[in-house]
Amino acid sequence: GLCALPASREMKYPIRQTDKWGRFKDRLPTDVEIDAWFANDVDGVCIVCGETSDNLEALDFDACGERFPAWEESIPRELFERLVIEQTPSGGYHVFYRSEETVCGSLKLAMRNHLVAEEDIYLDNKGIEKALVYGKECQVHRDPEGPPYASITLIETKGKGGVIMCDPTAGYELLQGDLCNLPVLTSAERDVLLQTAFDLDECPKDNAD
């Protein structure tokens, strides 16, 4: 019941049918398509989230998973132990579950303005200032009242139309549960997961009147 596609482990994106993979946001691949794709040399597997995978949603903990322990501590133990969890090659985490209701598109839940040293800044081929943060290329922003920084994502969801890499891709290790036996969460249970992640956001909030 999961919409699994062959993927490039390096690019973290569907391959071979890349220009046409969007059609699988609305339908599962056939057995013939799967057999043809995976008969070839494929080094990665990804899943299309949302309705096509029976309302699959995933939480993606980036930045080497540094906020995962704090999030785990905020989740009721009984709920946490039902989730399917894998570790990524960078030390991050993916948390998988299904929702009893239709899931929305992908959401950024927790971010940080990460300070960047001047010596770590470089120009890309379009002349835009960039820096590597946790191994990822990020755009650099300059604040006249402070040092340069990059806005990095700590936690985000992969929702409707989003794709996420998974085990058995090399470097992705299942730590808990089974991707073929995903829990179905109520709306209230899903809200707990998302709200606790949102509470870990580190970006300054605008003051509202």
Side-chain angles (χ1 to χ4, degrees):
L2 293 173
C3 185
L5 304 179
S8 163
R9 180 174 176 270
E10 179 181 0
M11 299 299 294
K12 301 181 181 180
Y13 204 73
I15 59 173
R16 292 188 172 85
Q17 74 288 0
T18 297
D19 60 334
K20 300 179 180 178
W21 79 266
R23 57 189 165 171
F24 298 108
K25 295 178 182 180
D26 300 310
R27 73 166 177 88
L28 292 173
T30 65
D31 289 343
V32 172
E33 288 170 325
I34 290 174
D35 288 343
W37 295 335
F38 289 98
N40 297 300
D41 185 18
V42 176
D43 70 354
V45 180
C46 69
I47 301 173
V48 183
C49 300
E51 292 178 78
T52 189
S53 289
D54 199 11
N55 291 323
L56 172 73
E57 187 171 57
L59 289 175
D60 184 0
F61 290 80
D62 215 335
C64 299
E66 67 171 67
R67 302 306 283 157
F68 182 82
W71 176 83
E72 178 184 351
E73 291 177 1
S74 303
I75 302 296
R77 200 66 203 171
E78 181 277 333
L79 176 57
F80 180 82
E81 290 177 350
R82 291 167 55 202
L83 303 170
V84 176
I85 302 171
E86 72 177 10
Q87 191 159 35
T88 71
S90 67
Y93 296 88
H94 293 160
V95 177
F96 299 92
Y97 53 88
R98 282 186 165 118
S99 171
E100 66 177 7
E101 298 181 351
T102 301
V103 298
C104 61
S106 301
L107 302 169
K108 293 186 183 297
L109 300 175
M111 300 188 68
R112 172 192 298 149
N113 289 339
H114 186 90
L115 299 184
V116 178
E118 288 287 351
E119 60 266 25
D120 294 331
I121 299 174
Y122 58 89
L123 297 179
D124 68 7
N125 56 12
K126 295 183 179 179
I128 298 174
E129 288 190 321
K130 297 286 183 71
L132 288 179
V133 182
Y134 292 105
K136 291 189 174 182
E137 187 177 66
C138 301
Q139 182 173 345
V140 173
H141 304 277
R142 291 190 178 273
D143 186 337
E145 299 181 358
Y149 66 91
S151 294
I152 64 170
T153 300
L154 302 172
I155 313 171
E156 65 182 328
T157 68
K158 296 295 184 179
K160 182 178 180 180
V163 295
I164 190 163
M165 299 292 292
C166 67
D167 177 84
T169 306
Y172 293 81
E173 179 187 1
L174 271 175
L175 303 178
Q176 175 176 296
D178 181 356
L179 282 167
C180 295
N181 186 24
L182 290 158
V184 180
L185 304 190
T186 65
S187 177
E189 290 171 329
R190 176 176 176 263
D191 285 346
V192 168
L193 302 189
L194 302 190
Q195 184 61 53
T196 50
F198 181 73
D199 289 344
L200 296 171
D201 182 45
E202 299 179 21
C203 282
K205 303 294 190 298
D206 292 331
N207 292 324
D209 295 333

PDB file of all heavy atoms in Angstrom, residues 109-130:
ATOM      1  N   LEU A 109       8.229  22.801  10.409  1.00  0.00           N
ATOM      2  CA  LEU A 109       7.729  22.961  11.769  1.00  0.00           C
ATOM      3  C   LEU A 109       8.701  23.678  12.690  1.00  0.00           C
ATOM      4  O   LEU A 109       8.303  24.475  13.539  1.00  0.00           O
ATOM      5  CB  LEU A 109       7.389  21.587  12.358  1.00  0.00           C
ATOM      6  CG  LEU A 109       6.320  20.783  11.603  1.00  0.00           C
ATOM      7  CD1 LEU A 109       6.175  19.408  12.224  1.00  0.00           C
ATOM      8  CD2 LEU A 109       4.997  21.517  11.581  1.00  0.00           C
ATOM      9  N   ALA A 110       9.975  23.368  12.587  1.00  0.00           N
ATOM     10  CA  ALA A 110      10.972  23.977  13.466  1.00  0.00           C
ATOM     11  C   ALA A 110      12.187  24.384  12.648  1.00  0.00           C
ATOM     12  O   ALA A 110      12.719  23.583  11.875  1.00  0.00           O
ATOM     13  CB  ALA A 110      11.381  23.003  14.575  1.00  0.00           C
ATOM     14  N   MET A 111      12.610  25.639  12.831  1.00  0.00           N
ATOM     15  CA  MET A 111      13.754  26.165  12.094  1.00  0.00           C
ATOM     16  C   MET A 111      14.685  26.914  13.045  1.00  0.00           C
ATOM     17  O   MET A 111      14.348  27.174  14.199  1.00  0.00           O
ATOM     18  CB  MET A 111      13.286  27.069  10.960  1.00  0.00           C
ATOM     19  CG  MET A 111      12.390  26.362   9.945  1.00  0.00           C
ATOM     20  SD  MET A 111      12.036  27.380   8.493  1.00  0.00           S
ATOM     21  CE  MET A 111      13.650  27.449   7.714  1.00  0.00           C
ATOM     22  N   ARG A 112      15.857  27.269  12.530  1.00  0.00           N
ATOM     23  CA  ARG A 112      16.827  28.030  13.312  1.00  0.00           C
ATOM     24  C   ARG A 112      17.585  28.961  12.378  1.00  0.00           C
ATOM     25  O   ARG A 112      17.921  28.592  11.249  1.00  0.00           O
ATOM     26  CB  ARG A 112      17.813  27.097  13.993  1.00  0.00           C
ATOM     27  CG  ARG A 112      18.978  27.835  14.666  1.00  0.00           C
ATOM     28  CD  ARG A 112      20.088  26.889  15.080  1.00  0.00           C
ATOM     29  NE  ARG A 112      19.615  25.936  16.063  1.00  0.00           N
ATOM     30  CZ  ARG A 112      20.076  24.698  16.191  1.00  0.00           C
ATOM     31  NH1 ARG A 112      21.005  24.243  15.363  1.00  0.00           N
ATOM     32  NH2 ARG A 112      19.615  23.904  17.121  1.00  0.00           N
ATOM     33  N   ASN A 113      17.878  30.168  12.869  1.00  0.00           N
ATOM     34  CA  ASN A 113      18.783  31.070  12.167  1.00  0.00           C
ATOM     35  C   ASN A 113      20.195  30.752  12.641  1.00  0.00           C
ATOM     36  O   ASN A 113      20.606  31.151  13.735  1.00  0.00           O
ATOM     37  CB  ASN A 113      18.426  32.530  12.440  1.00  0.00           C
ATOM     38  CG  ASN A 113      17.133  32.926  11.749  1.00  0.00           C
ATOM     39  OD1 ASN A 113      16.715  32.277  10.795  1.00  0.00           O
ATOM     40  ND2 ASN A 113      16.486  33.965  12.235  1.00  0.00           N
ATOM     41  N   HIS A 114      20.917  29.992  11.840  1.00  0.00           N
ATOM     42  CA  HIS A 114      22.238  29.471  12.200  1.00  0.00           C
ATOM     43  C   HIS A 114      23.311  30.475  11.782  1.00  0.00           C
ATOM     44  O   HIS A 114      23.426  30.825  10.600  1.00  0.00           O
ATOM     45  CB  HIS A 114      22.455  28.133  11.487  1.00  0.00           C
ATOM     46  CG  HIS A 114      23.709  27.427  11.865  1.00  0.00           C
ATOM     47  ND1 HIS A 114      23.769  26.520  12.901  1.00  0.00           N
ATOM     48  CD2 HIS A 114      24.956  27.503  11.353  1.00  0.00           C
ATOM     49  CE1 HIS A 114      24.994  26.049  12.997  1.00  0.00           C
ATOM     50  NE2 HIS A 114      25.739  26.632  12.080  1.00  0.00           N
ATOM     51  N   LEU A 115      24.104  30.947  12.736  1.00  0.00           N
ATOM     52  CA  LEU A 115      25.140  31.928  12.435  1.00  0.00           C
ATOM     53  C   LEU A 115      26.232  31.311  11.564  1.00  0.00           C
ATOM     54  O   LEU A 115      26.613  30.154  11.750  1.00  0.00           O
ATOM     55  CB  LEU A 115      25.760  32.465  13.721  1.00  0.00           C
ATOM     56  CG  LEU A 115      24.797  33.195  14.671  1.00  0.00           C
ATOM     57  CD1 LEU A 115      25.566  33.752  15.862  1.00  0.00           C
ATOM     58  CD2 LEU A 115      24.037  34.307  13.954  1.00  0.00           C
ATOM     59  N   VAL A 116      26.724  32.116  10.598  1.00  0.00           N
ATOM     60  CA  VAL A 116      27.718  31.642   9.630  1.00  0.00           C
ATOM     61  C   VAL A 116      28.947  32.545   9.692  1.00  0.00           C
ATOM     62  O   VAL A 116      28.830  33.775   9.668  1.00  0.00           O
ATOM     63  CB  VAL A 116      27.140  31.642   8.205  1.00  0.00           C
ATOM     64  CG1 VAL A 116      28.191  31.195   7.196  1.00  0.00           C
ATOM     65  CG2 VAL A 116      25.906  30.744   8.117  1.00  0.00           C
ATOM     66  N   ALA A 117      30.119  31.944   9.769  1.00  0.00           N
ATOM     67  CA  ALA A 117      31.369  32.719   9.764  1.00  0.00           C
ATOM     68  C   ALA A 117      31.669  33.227   8.361  1.00  0.00           C
ATOM     69  O   ALA A 117      31.383  32.546   7.364  1.00  0.00           O
ATOM     70  CB  ALA A 117      32.527  31.860  10.272  1.00  0.00           C
ATOM     71  N   GLU A 118      32.242  34.409   8.283  1.00  0.00           N
ATOM     72  CA  GLU A 118      32.539  35.018   6.977  1.00  0.00           C
ATOM     73  C   GLU A 118      33.425  34.110   6.126  1.00  0.00           C
ATOM     74  O   GLU A 118      33.235  34.011   4.909  1.00  0.00           O
ATOM     75  CB  GLU A 118      33.219  36.379   7.163  1.00  0.00           C
ATOM     76  CG  GLU A 118      32.319  37.484   7.672  1.00  0.00           C
ATOM     77  CD  GLU A 118      31.335  37.981   6.611  1.00  0.00           C
ATOM     78  OE1 GLU A 118      31.477  37.585   5.433  1.00  0.00           O
ATOM     79  OE2 GLU A 118      30.444  38.766   6.967  1.00  0.00           O
ATOM     80  N   GLU A 119      34.387  33.427   6.757  1.00  0.00           N
ATOM     81  CA  GLU A 119      35.301  32.591   5.990  1.00  0.00           C
ATOM     82  C   GLU A 119      34.628  31.343   5.412  1.00  0.00           C
ATOM     83  O   GLU A 119      35.196  30.672   4.553  1.00  0.00           O
ATOM     84  CB  GLU A 119      36.509  32.186   6.847  1.00  0.00           C
ATOM     85  CG  GLU A 119      36.159  31.408   8.098  1.00  0.00           C
ATOM     86  CD  GLU A 119      36.007  32.313   9.309  1.00  0.00           C
ATOM     87  OE1 GLU A 119      35.695  33.516   9.121  1.00  0.00           O
ATOM     88  OE2 GLU A 119      36.221  31.820  10.436  1.00  0.00           O
ATOM     89  N   ASP A 120      33.426  31.051   5.866  1.00  0.00           N
ATOM     90  CA  ASP A 120      32.709  29.870   5.364  1.00  0.00           C
ATOM     91  C   ASP A 120      31.730  30.214   4.245  1.00  0.00           C
ATOM     92  O   ASP A 120      31.052  29.333   3.699  1.00  0.00           O
ATOM     93  CB  ASP A 120      31.942  29.187   6.502  1.00  0.00           C
ATOM     94  CG  ASP A 120      32.860  28.596   7.547  1.00  0.00           C
ATOM     95  OD1 ASP A 120      33.989  28.212   7.191  1.00  0.00           O
ATOM     96  OD2 ASP A 120      32.461  28.528   8.731  1.00  0.00           O
ATOM     97  N   ILE A 121      31.653  31.492   3.885  1.00  0.00           N
ATOM     98  CA  ILE A 121      30.704  31.935   2.858  1.00  0.00           C
ATOM     99  C   ILE A 121      31.373  31.927   1.488  1.00  0.00           C
ATOM    100  O   ILE A 121      32.528  32.322   1.345  1.00  0.00           O
ATOM    101  CB  ILE A 121      30.185  33.354   3.192  1.00  0.00           C
ATOM    102  CG1 ILE A 121      29.458  33.347   4.539  1.00  0.00           C
ATOM    103  CG2 ILE A 121      29.257  33.860   2.086  1.00  0.00           C
ATOM    104  CD1 ILE A 121      29.052  34.724   5.019  1.00  0.00           C
ATOM    105  N   TYR A 122      30.638  31.461   0.486  1.00  0.00           N
ATOM    106  CA  TYR A 122      31.136  31.465  -0.895  1.00  0.00           C
ATOM    107  C   TYR A 122      29.996  31.835  -1.831  1.00  0.00           C
ATOM    108  O   TYR A 122      28.816  31.845  -1.438  1.00  0.00           O
ATOM    109  CB  TYR A 122      31.710  30.090  -1.264  1.00  0.00           C
ATOM    110  CG  TYR A 122      30.721  28.950  -1.132  1.00  0.00           C
ATOM    111  CD1 TYR A 122      29.902  28.585  -2.199  1.00  0.00           C
ATOM    112  CD2 TYR A 122      30.602  28.249   0.070  1.00  0.00           C
ATOM    113  CE1 TYR A 122      28.986  27.544  -2.065  1.00  0.00           C
ATOM    114  CE2 TYR A 122      29.700  27.212   0.209  1.00  0.00           C
ATOM    115  CZ  TYR A 122      28.890  26.856  -0.870  1.00  0.00           C
ATOM    116  OH  TYR A 122      27.969  25.832  -0.729  1.00  0.00           O
ATOM    117  N   LEU A 123      30.343  32.159  -3.070  1.00  0.00           N
ATOM    118  CA  LEU A 123      29.343  32.506  -4.076  1.00  0.00           C
ATOM    119  C   LEU A 123      29.062  31.300  -4.952  1.00  0.00           C
ATOM    120  O   LEU A 123      29.985  30.609  -5.400  1.00  0.00           O
ATOM    121  CB  LEU A 123      29.828  33.674  -4.938  1.00  0.00           C
ATOM    122  CG  LEU A 123      30.057  35.014  -4.229  1.00  0.00           C
ATOM    123  CD1 LEU A 123      30.552  36.050  -5.236  1.00  0.00           C
ATOM    124  CD2 LEU A 123      28.771  35.514  -3.558  1.00  0.00           C
ATOM    125  N   ASP A 124      27.781  31.036  -5.224  1.00  0.00           N
ATOM    126  CA  ASP A 124      27.447  29.962  -6.161  1.00  0.00           C
ATOM    127  C   ASP A 124      27.547  30.495  -7.587  1.00  0.00           C
ATOM    128  O   ASP A 124      27.962  31.640  -7.821  1.00  0.00           O
ATOM    129  CB  ASP A 124      26.072  29.361  -5.850  1.00  0.00           C
ATOM    130  CG  ASP A 124      24.915  30.331  -6.124  1.00  0.00           C
ATOM    131  OD1 ASP A 124      25.144  31.430  -6.685  1.00  0.00           O
ATOM    132  OD2 ASP A 124      23.770  29.979  -5.783  1.00  0.00           O
ATOM    133  N   ASN A 125      27.147  29.680  -8.588  1.00  0.00           N
ATOM    134  CA  ASN A 125      27.308  30.094  -9.986  1.00  0.00           C
ATOM    135  C   ASN A 125      26.360  31.214 -10.395  1.00  0.00           C
ATOM    136  O   ASN A 125      26.453  31.743 -11.493  1.00  0.00           O
ATOM    137  CB  ASN A 125      27.156  28.883 -10.920  1.00  0.00           C
ATOM    138  CG  ASN A 125      25.833  28.170 -10.726  1.00  0.00           C
ATOM    139  OD1 ASN A 125      24.919  28.669 -10.067  1.00  0.00           O
ATOM    140  ND2 ASN A 125      25.713  26.981 -11.308  1.00  0.00           N
ATOM    141  N   LYS A 126      25.448  31.582  -9.501  1.00  0.00           N
ATOM    142  CA  LYS A 126      24.556  32.710  -9.782  1.00  0.00           C
ATOM    143  C   LYS A 126      24.928  33.934  -8.951  1.00  0.00           C
ATOM    144  O   LYS A 126      24.203  34.927  -8.945  1.00  0.00           O
ATOM    145  CB  LYS A 126      23.099  32.314  -9.497  1.00  0.00           C
ATOM    146  CG  LYS A 126      22.579  31.229 -10.422  1.00  0.00           C
ATOM    147  CD  LYS A 126      21.114  30.933 -10.133  1.00  0.00           C
ATOM    148  CE  LYS A 126      20.584  29.857 -11.078  1.00  0.00           C
ATOM    149  NZ  LYS A 126      19.148  29.531 -10.794  1.00  0.00           N
ATOM    150  N   GLY A 127      26.044  33.845  -8.248  1.00  0.00           N
ATOM    151  CA  GLY A 127      26.505  34.970  -7.456  1.00  0.00           C
ATOM    152  C   GLY A 127      25.800  35.127  -6.122  1.00  0.00           C
ATOM    153  O   GLY A 127      25.889  36.180  -5.486  1.00  0.00           O
ATOM    154  N   ILE A 128      25.116  34.071  -5.683  1.00  0.00           N
ATOM    155  CA  ILE A 128      24.387  34.111  -4.411  1.00  0.00           C
ATOM    156  C   ILE A 128      25.274  33.564  -3.307  1.00  0.00           C
ATOM    157  O   ILE A 128      25.941  32.539  -3.471  1.00  0.00           O
ATOM    158  CB  ILE A 128      23.088  33.291  -4.504  1.00  0.00           C
ATOM    159  CG1 ILE A 128      22.167  33.891  -5.574  1.00  0.00           C
ATOM    160  CG2 ILE A 128      22.371  33.238  -3.151  1.00  0.00           C
ATOM    161  CD1 ILE A 128      20.930  33.066  -5.851  1.00  0.00           C
ATOM    162  N   GLU A 129      25.293  34.243  -2.177  1.00  0.00           N
ATOM    163  CA  GLU A 129      26.115  33.801  -1.056  1.00  0.00           C
ATOM    164  C   GLU A 129      25.545  32.524  -0.444  1.00  0.00           C
ATOM    165  O   GLU A 129      24.358  32.460  -0.107  1.00  0.00           O
ATOM    166  CB  GLU A 129      26.207  34.897   0.014  1.00  0.00           C
ATOM    167  CG  GLU A 129      27.071  36.084  -0.412  1.00  0.00           C
ATOM    168  CD  GLU A 129      27.348  37.032   0.740  1.00  0.00           C
ATOM    169  OE1 GLU A 129      26.420  37.245   1.546  1.00  0.00           O
ATOM    170  OE2 GLU A 129      28.482  37.552   0.817  1.00  0.00           O
ATOM    171  N   LYS A 130      26.408  31.527  -0.282  1.00  0.00           N
ATOM    172  CA  LYS A 130      26.004  30.239   0.266  1.00  0.00           C
ATOM    173  C   LYS A 130      27.022  29.800   1.321  1.00  0.00           C
ATOM    174  O   LYS A 130      28.141  30.294   1.383  1.00  0.00           O
ATOM    175  CB  LYS A 130      25.940  29.177  -0.842  1.00  0.00           C
ATOM    176  CG  LYS A 130      24.910  29.455  -1.936  1.00  0.00           C
ATOM    177  CD  LYS A 130      23.509  29.205  -1.467  1.00  0.00           C
ATOM    178  CE  LYS A 130      22.469  29.402  -2.567  1.00  0.00           C
ATOM    179  NZ  LYS A 130      22.518  28.350  -3.584  1.00  0.00           N
TER     180      LYS A 130
END
